[in-house]
Each structure stands twice: as C-alpha cells, then as structure tokens.
C-alpha cells in the first residue's frame, strides 16, 4: 500500500489515503514530483538497518540525490526520481537469501534492480505519472542504456561516488587488497572524466589511497 500523501490546498492539508482519492485529483507536475519523493522517502524510512542514526536506505537515497545535483545542477526529472528510488526498499531482498557464490551475487543484484524498478513504477503511477516518465525512470533503475545514455551515465557516476565517499572504508576493512583493487578498477572504468575528477578530491585513508593508486596504475 502506498504511504499517505498530504496535498496542501488553500483549505489546508488534505490526506489522500486511498488510491481512488489520489487519482481523483489532477496533480501539477511539481506536486507529482514532490509526492513521489515523499513516498520514496517514507518507504525507505522503514528500513530497519541504521547508519549514523538514520534508516540506511533513506540516507543512501539522499546521498545519491546530492551527488547527482553536484555533478549536474539541472538534471532531468526522471534522473532525480531515479536517484531517489534506486535502492527502494532494498532490505526486503537480503543477500542471505541467495547462495554465497558469484552467480548467487549476480542473481541477487539482478533481482534487486527489477524489484526497485517495479516498486518505483507502482508509486509513480499512483501519484499520477504517465507511462513514458515511468518507463524512463525504470530504465534508469535497470541501467538499460548504459553507457550510451548520458542520463544513465550521470546516475552511474553518482552511484560510484557514493560508494567511494561513504562505502569504501567499510568494504575495504573486510576485503583483500586484490579484490578491492579489482572493484575500484571496475568503478573507475564506469565513471566519466568529470566524476573521476570529483573522486580524486575525496578524503581517503592511506591504505585506500594505495588501493586507488594500484587500481589506476
């Protein structure tokens, strides 16, 4: 069920608690956008996993949005929506439900992308988005047109930068140097020159700096 959405009118805040109520009101583009972000955030706020005292996926969505806007202050609406729902309700499909093998990992990742895109589409449709916009957002969730699509590249750049800024330290602490160098090489290869320049400005530990240097050698 979609979370409650509050529409502010001249008569105050109106709670739209049912799908029929939401569909009965023709929301403006800005209202639809705000409604979608609010719904994505409320869904991710249910994440039982915490990071820095916040639900992990809510924090992740905010960080991803921030990086998209740092790389491009005027991205398309579809990119901004995709950034906010890229890991939507990710905790509902835990890694432990799949074999702890490379094929198991790849299957988990593939299923996650489909799940995020499906759930995002449901929310976007309920707040009134058209099929074309929904398709564009879902294509970004699924990275269908990477690397040919500039918008998909922007989102991928932001994903890589979130990894480098916020996730690298924890991963490096439990991963061998060889595997980390390989992971960093793959991330670097996916990034544009603009994103690489931003990556080199980030703060890293001495070990992380050495790993990055090896990856770029």
């Amino acid at each position: 069920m979609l979370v409650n959405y509050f529409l502010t009118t001249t008569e105050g805040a109106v709670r739209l608690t049912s799908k029929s109520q939401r569909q009965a009101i023709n929301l403006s583009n800005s209202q639809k956008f705000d409604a979608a972000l609010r719904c994505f955030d409320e869904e991710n706020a249910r994440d039982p996993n915490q990071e820095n005292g916040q639900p992990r996926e809510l924090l992740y969505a905010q960080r991803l949005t921030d990086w998209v806007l740092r790389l491009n202050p005027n991205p398309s609406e579809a990119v901004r929506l995709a950034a906010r729902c890229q890991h939507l309700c990710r905790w509902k499909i835990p890694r432990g439900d799949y074999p702890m093998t490379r094929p198991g990992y790849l299957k988990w990742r593939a299923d996650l992308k489909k799940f995020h895109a499906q759930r995002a589409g449901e929310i976007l449709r309920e707040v009134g988005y058209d099929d074309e916009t929904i398709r564009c957002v879902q294509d970004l969730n699924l990275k269908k047109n990477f690397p040919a699509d500039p918008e998909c590249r922007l989102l991928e750049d932001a994903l890589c930068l979130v990894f480098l800024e916020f996730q690298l330290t924890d991963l490096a602490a439990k991963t061998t140097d060889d595997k980390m160098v390989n992971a960093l090489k793959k991330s670097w290869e996916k990034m544009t020159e603009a994103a690489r320049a931003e990556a080199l400005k980030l703060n890293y530990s001495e070990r992380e700096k050495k790993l990055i240097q090896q990856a770029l050698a």
Side-chain angles (χ1 to χ4, degrees):
M1 178 182 294
L2 188 65
V3 293
N4 291 340
Y5 166 58
F6 289 86
L7 172 63
T8 302
T9 70
T10 55
E11 298 176 351
V14 178
R15 178 181 288 181
L16 307 181
T17 55
S18 70
K19 183 175 179 179
S20 60
Q21 284 178 301
R22 288 189 295 275
Q23 291 177 335
I25 295 180
N26 183 21
L27 302 181
S28 69
N29 286 340
S30 63
Q31 287 173 329
K32 284 188 290 190
F33 178 76
D34 290 344
L37 293 195
R38 186 177 296 111
C39 290
F40 292 152
D41 287 352
E42 290 184 357
E43 288 281 278
N44 278 330
R46 295 189 174 95
D47 188 354
N49 305 295
Q50 296 285 303
E51 183 177 344
N52 295 339
Q54 298 185 57
R56 181 182 298 162
E57 295 307 337
L58 178 62
L59 184 59
Y60 184 89
Q62 293 167 343
R63 287 169 169 171
L64 186 58
T65 297
D66 288 346
W67 264 116
V68 165
L69 294 174
R70 286 171 67 177
L71 293 166
N72 181 350
N74 296 295
S76 71
E77 187 170 344
V79 171
R80 293 184 67 185
L81 289 167
R84 208 63 162 209
C85 64
Q86 193 68 15
H87 282 187
L88 189 63
C89 300
R90 192 178 186 87
W91 68 93
K92 292 187 176 181
I93 303 181
R95 174 69 179 94
D97 287 355
Y98 293 76
M100 301 306 288
T101 60
R102 179 66 177 170
Y105 171 77
L106 295 176
K107 180 67 165 59
W108 173 64
R109 290 292 300 272
D111 287 352
L112 275 174
K113 286 196 292 186
K114 293 175 185 176
F115 169 70
H116 298 322
Q118 178 182 350
R119 187 72 190 101
E122 292 168 355
I123 289 176
L124 292 171
R125 189 166 288 108
E126 288 196 10
V127 300
Y129 273 98
D130 59 274
D131 290 343
E132 178 62 20
T133 301
I134 294 170
R135 183 191 62 77
C136 288
V137 173
Q138 290 180 319
D139 283 354
L140 288 167
N141 290 149
L142 296 167
K143 304 180 184 180
K144 271 193 173 181
N145 301 310
F146 181 83
D149 179 13
E151 293 193 330
C152 195
R153 294 216 70 174
L154 171 60
L155 187 62
E156 186 64 38
D157 279 348
L159 287 163
C160 291
L161 287 163
V162 170
F163 163 66
L164 291 170
E165 184 174 13
F166 299 107
Q167 299 173 327
L168 176 61
T169 298
D170 286 345
L171 182 61
K174 58 186 178 183
T175 306
T176 64
D177 285 4
D178 287 348
K179 288 184 177 180
M180 281 307 307
V181 168
N182 185 53
L184 288 165
K185 280 182 178 179
K186 289 180 178 178
S187 293
W188 201 259
E189 289 170 357
K190 291 187 289 185
M191 297 163 68
T192 62
E193 289 302 323
R196 291 173 181 175
E198 292 294 334
L200 293 175
K201 298 175 187 177
L202 297 175
N203 294 319
Y204 302 105
S205 69
E206 288 305 313
R207 177 173 177 246
E208 290 162 4
K209 289 178 183 177
K210 290 179 182 178
L211 292 171
I212 292 171
Q213 290 170 354
Q214 291 178 50
L216 303 186

